[in-house]
Amino acid sequence: MAVKAKKTARKSNTIKLKFDTSWSYDPAPESKSAASIKPKYDHFINGAWVKPAGGKYFDSINPANEEKLSEVADGNEADVNKAVSAARNAYEQTWQKMPAKERAKYIFRIARMVQEKARELAIIETLDGGKPIRESRDFDVPTAANHFFYYAGWADKLEYAFPNRKTSALGVAGQIIPWNFPLLMAAWKIAPALATGNTVVLKPAETTPLTALKLAEIIQESDLPPGVVNIITGAGATGADIVNHPDINKIAFTGSTDVGKLIQRAVAGTNKRVTLELGGKAANIIFEDAPLDQAVEGVINGIYFNQGHVCCAGSRLYVQESVAKQVIRKLKDRMETLIVGDPLDKNTDIGAINSRQQLDTIQRYIKIGKQEGAEMYESSCRLPGKGFFCRPTLFTNVAQSNRIAQEEIFGPVLSVLTFRTDDEVIEKANNSPYGLSAGVWTDKGSKIFNLTKRMRAGVVWANTFNKFDPTSPFGGYKESGFGREGGFAWVIALCEFN
Ligand code: ADP
């Protein structure tokens, strides 16, 4: 690594180290050869690979270079019918009857197999979704394995967890997941469903189906009884077929608020249970007494790592007025050092935007921000010639009512607003249609408790951001959805109490 530092004398005679942004790391790409991707994938139904009834397939591409990675089956109603009846049959004939401690062994085995194939899964996640290998390797895959481990532990404890009450499974769970954490979301949904004795029909997002299909291979190898987990690929229409299927007992959906509303309408008046984990516009709040360098790092992590493709991304930053100038300067300096580019490179901080469509949405919002009169700053980094990339971007002079402060952008775009008092920032932070998550940076524990009590957000991180583990419940207020997934809450949501 070559770092050239220029010393620049400032008027006050203090010395400022200014980093030349031409500094570079040598490329350190992860090898693609450790990943095996089949040219074509069918649906995974009843423990076997089944051709789509309509005979149609669609491409899954690498968003970092727009090259085709594989073809996957396009599911229709007939495929969904087949998967649901396999899941129902497995529920009634096998899974429901199996002693809980035996169910746990399968879940534990899947966890171990995910760990054993961690490198391959991380590479495929990065190729298919565009996220940096560092993220898939250090966060997505280990956290996915942890979900299987954690819920394996729950299976045989259910009998003792609710004194004087008996629990049973709900039946068949229909699970629809988005493209931002493809493998992790699959684990997050499948592991607790299996632990509580339910069987599953899961649909990954159309732009990122490959790690869920790899998980299907693992499930097949694990000898899990056929039909307990079925994985159907397809786009929104396939998702709607799952939602509308009359023999599904529980719908668990993670995705956009618009689709969440459609799903809620579709299941109204049916007996289906529903949890919806939808969009967000998280407020990240920096008080003047916060350790500023640590806070700035947390803000950068909260919005730029993972390309801002996180429903709980800290996309609204509220800084106390007295430190606003200092924080903005530190943010801009740090943005300049972020490495945007090849997601397979181990040095990359910001990878590819997941799809052309998502890149267009982000660019549309950047335009809106400028039209609204906010001041835009973007890092000066060079972007690769091919693929879908976006520079880390920041807006200052943002008004609370601006669309870039109210609407979910789902990209590396941060809106910075200021405040003077605790009451003011709580009011502003809560003034959002969403309420999924928030962050607070301060030296004072009492301030943290005051804030967390009054924030209308499902998760509030204090002096950290975007921390996840399988034991913590997760879910939103308002248009961010309802129901809690994760931890004990997720177990409760998947059980019937008798
Ligand atoms: P995003 O904006 O994050 O792509 P979407 O809500 O569009 O979120 O997609 C999340 C998941 O929901 C994907 O698997 C997608 O195929 C699925 N989906 C999209 N439309 C529908 C629908 N009408 N019914 C059920 N699932 C849908």
Side-chain angles (χ1 to χ4, degrees):
M1 179 184 81
V3 182
K4 296 178 206 157
K6 283 192 254 164
K7 285 182 179 173
T8 321
R10 289 205 307 197
K11 271 188 202 148
S12 60
N13 279 344
T14 54
I15 302 289
K16 186 187 172 204
L17 278 174
K18 199 168 179 197
F19 288 97
D20 184 332
T21 51
S22 64
W23 65 318
S24 61
Y25 287 85
D26 281 342
E30 174 56 282
S31 163
K32 280 184 216 166
S33 62
S36 119
I37 300 177
K38 290 194 275 188
K40 199 182 233 187
Y41 286 93
D42 294 320
H43 299 304
F44 181 66
I45 301 175
N46 210 22
W49 296 95
V50 176
K51 295 208 175 310
K56 287 197 194 142
Y57 293 81
F58 61 93
D59 293 347
S60 193
I61 64 154
N62 177 349
N65 58 19
E66 299 167 62
E67 283 169 13
K68 176 173 160 180
L69 292 166
S70 183
E71 282 177 12
V72 300
D74 193 0
N76 65 16
E77 206 181 332
D79 298 315
V80 171
N81 287 342
K82 225 183 260 174
V84 175
S85 90
R88 173 63 58 196
N89 200 39
Y91 175 68
E92 280 168 5
Q93 303 305 320
T94 328
W95 202 236
Q96 193 191 20
K97 293 180 185 163
M98 190 182 283
K101 70 176 196 304
E102 295 303 316
R103 283 204 310 265
K105 288 181 194 170
Y106 286 106
I107 308 169
F108 188 81
R109 188 183 290 169
I110 295 169
R112 286 287 298 118
M113 290 173 78
V114 168
Q115 277 188 325
E116 276 161 19
K117 293 183 192 284
R119 184 167 174 216
E120 183 179 18
L121 287 164
I123 296 169
I124 297 176
E125 197 71 304
T126 285
L127 287 170
D128 203 23
K131 64 171 60 191
I133 187 74
R134 215 179 51 196
E135 289 281 323
S136 9
R137 182 197 61 197
D138 297 348
F139 177 71
D140 294 61
V141 177
T143 316
N146 283 348
H147 274 76
F148 283 108
F149 278 123
Y150 172 73
Y151 286 106
W154 262 114
D156 61 352
K157 315 293 183 305
L158 290 173
E159 211 184 322
Y160 311 100
F162 309 100
N164 305 320
R165 296 179 84 183
K166 275 203 171 319
T167 63
S168 57
L170 298 175
V172 178
Q175 310 181 326
I176 299 164
I177 57 172
W179 45 260
N180 56 348
F181 293 95
L183 178 71
L184 175 56
M185 276 294 126
W188 170 300
K189 301 270 194 242
I190 293 173
L194 299 191
T196 46
N198 296 281
T199 57
V200 168
V201 176
L202 175 126
K203 189 193 86 63
E206 52 272 38
T207 53
T208 54
L210 298 186
T211 44
L213 293 164
K214 209 74 201 168
L215 182 62
E217 288 178 5
I218 289 176
I219 286 170
Q220 195 177 30
E221 254 183 79
S222 78
D223 275 338
L224 187 77
V228 172
V229 172
N230 305 274
I231 296 182
I232 293 273
T233 47
T238 319
D241 289 334
I242 294 176
V243 170
N244 293 323
H245 198 289
D247 201 26
I248 283 188
N249 304 92
K250 157 92 189 177
I251 296 290
F253 171 76
T254 301
S256 63
T257 295
D258 287 346
V259 173
K261 286 179 182 174
L262 288 177
I263 291 178
Q264 200 173 355
R265 253 178 246 134
V267 299
T270 71
N271 285 333
K272 286 176 191 145
R273 300 254 193 109
V274 188
T275 40
L276 300 175
E277 199 260 279
L278 309 176
K281 190 76 186 173
N284 212 347
I285 301 168
I286 302 183
F287 284 97
E288 61 189 359
D289 60 6
L292 295 187
D293 288 326
Q294 191 185 322
V296 164
E297 202 51 37
V299 171
I300 295 276
N301 169 19
I303 184 66
Y304 296 130
F305 292 169
N306 241 320
Q307 305 73 247
H309 287 349
V310 192
C311 39
C312 51
S315 52
R316 285 184 295 158
L317 173 64
Y318 290 95
V319 193
Q320 199 151 22
E321 217 169 75
S322 49
V323 290
K325 248 186 163 166
Q326 208 182 337
V327 166
I328 292 167
R329 184 177 53 74
K330 281 176 186 285
L331 272 173
K332 288 179 178 173
D333 285 351
R334 182 68 177 96
M335 282 164 74
E336 280 299 319
T337 67
L338 294 174
I339 299 172
V340 183
D342 179 8
L344 270 185
D345 193 312
K346 292 165 196 156
N347 297 317
T348 295
D349 296 308
I350 303 179
I353 301 299
N354 182 255
S355 63
R356 155 92 49 210
Q357 194 192 2
Q358 187 55 28
L359 181 59
D360 290 346
T361 304
I362 297 168
Q363 284 168 344
R364 188 161 43 83
Y365 272 107
I366 291 177
K367 220 161 151 192
I368 290 171
K370 289 193 227 164
Q371 284 162 355
E372 285 178 321
E375 210 171 285
M376 188 190 89
Y377 175 82
E378 60 177 5
S379 108
S380 61
C381 65
R382 242 182 268 139
L383 298 183
K386 263 182 130 185
F388 314 133
F389 290 91
C390 180
R391 292 190 180 84
T393 304
L394 174 153
F395 279 103
T396 52
N397 288 335
V398 180
Q400 179 73 26
S401 58
N402 286 167
R403 287 182 65 188
I404 53 166
Q406 289 289 331
E407 296 174 19
E408 187 177 42
I409 301 173
F410 230 64
V413 182
L414 177 67
S415 296
V416 185
L417 299 98
T418 58
F419 69 94
R420 287 185 186 161
T421 66
D422 296 17
D423 286 344
E424 180 191 351
V425 75
I426 290 169
E427 195 181 320
K428 282 181 164 172
N430 282 338
N431 178 355
S432 162
Y434 296 108
L436 191 57
S437 62
V440 49
W441 300 84
T442 171
D443 201 27
K444 305 265 181 308
S446 56
K447 225 179 234 176
I448 292 172
F449 288 123
N450 177 29
L451 227 92
T452 48
K453 257 199 293 191
R454 295 166 63 197
M455 293 286 288
R456 303 279 294 160
V459 181
V460 185
W461 287 290
N463 293 328
T464 186
F465 206 83
N466 266 354
K467 286 279 177 282
F468 284 93
D469 82 84
T471 67
S472 310
F474 188 80
Y477 285 78
K478 301 184 271 186
E479 294 205 7
S480 292
F482 53 77
R484 294 291 177 265
E485 298 186 347
F488 190 33
W490 212 177
V491 172
I492 296 170
L494 286 158
C495 285
E496 191 82 71
F497 290 88
N498 309 305

